Amino acid sequence: MMTAMGAQATNAHTWVEETVYEEDIPSNAVDKFLAVQAERFRNPILRIFHTELEAVYEEKNRSMDNDGWKVLETTYRNLFPTHNYGQQTTIGTIEHLKNPSLTAIRDYYHKYYVPNNMAVILAGDFDPDVMIKKIDAAFSYMKSKPVAEYNPAPEQPITSPVVSEVYGPSAENITIAFRSGAETSKDKLMLNVIDGIFANGKAGLLDLNLNKQQKVLSAGSTLSQYKDYGIFELKASPKQGQTLDDVKALLLGQIEELKKGNFDDKLIKAIAANYKLSKLNSQDNNTVRVNSMVDNFIKTKAATWQDDVAFLDAMGNVTKAEVLAFANQFFKDNNYTVVYKRKGEDKSITKVDKPTITPVETNAGKESPFVKNINALPLAPIKPIWLDYNTAIQKSKIDNAEVMQVANKQNGLFNLNFRYEMGKWNNKKLPFALDYLQYLGTDKYSSEEISKAFYQLAASFFCERRQRRKQYHAQWLERKFHPGA
């Protein structure tokens, strides 16, 4: 039914704190979409429960073979000996899968699939007031029920490093992880800034001191923020002949560099600017917009949406003194977990034996009255807006260069592109010349020296290209007027 109305990316996912049903539909199919989705949650008949369980068995077996998943689960288990972040994986345990209960699943549905625990989140081409009325009408049958919030005992401070080893066939790596505060705590803001100070692809501590100096094969950092806690991780892979303890010492060394303030004072402003640029670029995508709202709803029931909107400005206002004070309080010598991913056979894996499942015969090729009614609903035609390149693109010249421009009326971004009629097959040195751009303003080369070198290379490429064109043209003329030559 969804495909028939033009839907794409029909899917659903579960993760630590959320179950999300996803659709990407044309704007003229909203009425059909709401009719189907409202009926989906009215009174689900779980006919294919056991066949779906078989798919989950396979997912569980694959996760136990995946070294990355094993590291992740071990990290969470070490950081959260009490909270479900560490004690209950999304997919569940082997024992859960061995003893499935359709009754328990129905009880779960009746307990949590209630309107005061749900959100319908949309982004796209529609009138919000009209859309809200349609949603209210489609889901009006739902009745609210009390929903008990998950309220675990608080985690106790980690007073000594929790060390674990994971074995598997993939390459070795190491993860050092710290438990951080809730979504609403200041930890989220500060660790997002610190994440950029550690690794931003160009000028972070890990970028400059480890990756570009080739002291490790690769290193990076990440913050995973959830409702009740967050997880800040430093990860790295060793070079050939390097031990994981060597890599651990290098990562911990970069934490000390952070705590001492051995980074450029201007880096925080640059991180905030890049973060803003990334957000503005991504917000052109409706899926990203929806995901932002989903994330806020799951964590705070949309109570902190204004804080999310103001987050960019908050990042830009963080000072170096605040970073140092936070880092010296947050990163202690003993409040973390270390997971060594070593290469070798994992002898602890226990596979889930799939039960014998009787196949479910579907009514292939048949349509229920409900399907017929949905398919019969009319779709309003979509009127395309044709772009006139003659009026949409403004053209001018600067010296001999042609300039084309289009006003950006969507956001505050400015994009500038230089286009040269040549490529790396024209001159094999061109990619290397372009790579020099990232070193502008280094202690070895001034921006003026690099610019001169680049433009000298570019000029020589143009000269060479012109000479080659003249040569090709002369050869073409020779062949055209003297075919026997």
Side-chain angles (χ1 to χ4, degrees):
M1 283 189 291
M2 297 310 303
T3 301
M5 68 180 72
Q8 302 179 52
T10 299
N11 204 357
H13 76 262
T14 54
W15 187 228
V16 177
E17 296 167 317
E18 65 193 36
T19 300
V20 182
Y21 299 83
E22 303 147 1
E23 296 286 354
D24 187 353
I25 61 168
S27 58
N28 64 339
V30 166
D31 293 335
K32 286 191 173 189
F33 163 77
L34 291 177
V36 172
Q37 299 305 319
E39 189 64 26
R40 161 190 266 178
F41 298 109
R42 186 188 300 272
N43 182 30
I45 307 302
L46 307 175
R47 295 186 182 91
I48 58 171
F49 167 71
H50 284 95
T51 54
E52 193 63 22
L53 180 64
E54 185 178 20
V56 179
Y57 271 96
E58 188 58 32
E59 285 185 23
K60 182 65 176 178
N61 282 332
R62 288 170 58 192
S63 71
M64 291 189 295
D65 279 337
N66 186 293
D67 291 350
W69 276 110
K70 289 190 289 185
V71 169
L72 183 143
E73 290 185 5
T74 303
T75 300
Y76 281 39
R77 187 167 58 247
N78 290 350
L79 289 176
F80 302 104
T82 300
H83 198 286
N84 271 353
Y85 293 159
Q87 301 308 303
Q88 173 64 68
T89 62
T90 302
I91 201 169
T93 66
I94 293 176
E95 289 305 312
H96 291 151
L97 298 180
K98 284 183 177 179
N99 298 284
S101 169
L102 187 55
T103 300
I105 286 182
R106 288 196 178 109
D107 291 343
Y108 184 95
Y109 161 78
H110 289 295
K111 182 177 181 180
Y112 291 107
Y113 280 59
V114 292
N116 47 309
N117 195 46
M118 297 169 65
V120 180
I121 299 175
L122 303 98
D125 181 16
F126 56 81
D127 183 321
D129 295 328
V130 173
M131 182 65 75
I132 288 172
K133 290 180 181 179
K134 289 185 175 184
I135 292 172
D136 285 343
F139 290 87
S140 60
Y141 67 88
M142 283 191 160
K143 305 299 179 184
S144 295
K145 297 178 185 177
V147 178
E149 292 286 333
Y150 176 61
N151 189 27
E155 293 286 2
Q156 297 302 309
I158 298 173
T159 56
S160 61
V162 183
V163 181
S164 295
E165 293 182 325
V166 168
Y167 287 87
S170 65
E172 292 192 341
N173 58 70
I174 187 171
T175 299
I176 302 176
F178 297 79
R179 183 203 304 150
S180 61
E183 162 74 11
T184 54
S185 70
K186 192 176 180 180
D187 288 11
K188 174 186 173 181
L189 172 64
M190 299 306 297
L191 288 173
N192 266 284
V193 174
I194 287 174
D195 182 32
I197 294 174
F198 272 126
N200 53 61
K202 296 292 183 184
L205 291 173
L206 301 180
D207 302 318
L208 296 175
N209 300 338
L210 298 187
N211 291 332
K212 290 189 176 181
Q213 294 187 35
Q214 300 182 8
K215 291 185 177 180
V216 296
L217 186 63
S218 64
S221 63
T222 184
L223 171 65
S224 300
Q225 184 63 57
Y226 301 116
K227 178 181 178 181
D228 297 330
Y229 294 98
I231 300 171
F232 186 81
E233 297 173 286
L234 295 174
K235 295 174 174 284
S237 300
K239 299 187 297 183
Q240 187 172 1
Q242 192 176 38
T243 69
L244 291 180
D245 282 322
D246 292 337
V247 177
K248 174 188 172 184
L250 289 170
L251 290 176
L252 294 178
Q254 295 312 301
I255 292 178
E256 293 305 311
E257 292 295 303
L258 171 73
K259 292 162 72 173
K260 293 175 184 176
N262 291 335
F263 57 90
D264 193 326
D265 293 10
K266 298 177 182 177
L267 190 57
I268 297 174
K269 295 294 184 183
I271 290 166
N274 283 333
Y275 192 86
K276 183 176 183 179
L277 176 64
S278 174
K279 283 292 182 182
L280 287 173
N281 272 319
S282 66
Q283 291 303 314
D284 281 345
N285 185 292
N286 283 328
T287 300
V288 175
R289 295 179 182 181
V290 163
N291 288 341
S292 297
M293 292 185 279
V294 167
D295 187 65
N296 190 266
F297 170 77
I298 292 297
K299 291 173 181 175
T300 70
K301 295 290 178 69
T304 62
W305 178 249
Q306 292 304 319
D307 294 335
D308 279 9
V309 174
F311 192 76
L312 294 173
D313 293 331
M315 284 187 73
N317 292 328
V318 172
T319 65
K320 185 173 183 178
E322 288 179 300
V323 170
L324 295 182
F326 178 87
N328 280 278
Q329 181 274 329
F330 181 80
F331 294 105
K332 298 184 173 66
D333 295 334
N334 51 13
N335 66 333
Y336 57 83
T337 179
V338 181
V339 179
Y340 294 95
K341 163 57 195 64
R342 302 192 184 278
K343 197 166 185 177
E345 181 184 358
D346 186 351
K347 299 180 180 179
S348 65
I349 294 180
T350 303
K351 291 291 185 179
V352 184
D353 294 326
K354 296 180 184 179
T356 301
I357 297 175
T358 303
V360 175
E361 295 295 333
T362 60
N363 297 324
K366 295 183 179 180
E367 287 185 347
S368 68
F370 177 76
V371 173
K372 291 179 180 178
N373 290 336
I374 293 295
N375 289 338
L377 289 175
L379 287 175
I382 294 179
K383 297 179 180 179
I385 300 175
W386 301 106
L387 186 65
D388 185 348
Y389 289 98
N390 293 321
T391 58
I393 301 175
Q394 305 301 314
K395 298 179 180 180
S396 59
K397 278 198 170 187
I398 298 179
D399 295 330
N400 293 326
E402 183 181 2
V403 178
M404 294 183 288
Q405 60 180 338
V406 176
N408 179 8
K409 300 178 181 179
Q410 302 298 319
N411 52 43
L413 295 180
F414 172 82
N415 294 312
L416 177 65
N417 295 287
F418 294 93
R419 187 178 182 89
Y420 297 94
E421 292 183 352
M422 67 172 67
K424 61 184 179 182
W425 291 107
N426 212 300
N427 191 305
K428 299 300 176 64
K429 295 179 181 178
L430 182 57
F432 299 102
L434 294 174
D435 283 342
Y436 282 134
L437 290 175
Q438 65 178 308
Y439 297 107
L440 288 175
T442 66
D443 58 347
K444 293 183 178 180
Y445 304 101
S446 69
S447 58
E448 183 179 0
E449 289 172 332
I450 292 294
S451 296
K452 285 181 179 178
F454 177 78
Y455 285 115
Q456 285 172 356
L457 279 170
S460 68
F461 293 159
F462 276 121
C463 291
E464 181 181 335
R465 185 178 179 86
R466 283 196 296 269
Q467 293 296 327
R468 197 176 300 170
R469 278 182 172 176
K470 288 181 180 179
Q471 181 181 356
Y472 289 160
H473 187 61
Q475 292 174 350
W476 177 80
L477 289 174
E478 183 71 15
R479 288 194 301 269
K480 182 175 181 180
F481 296 106
H482 300 88

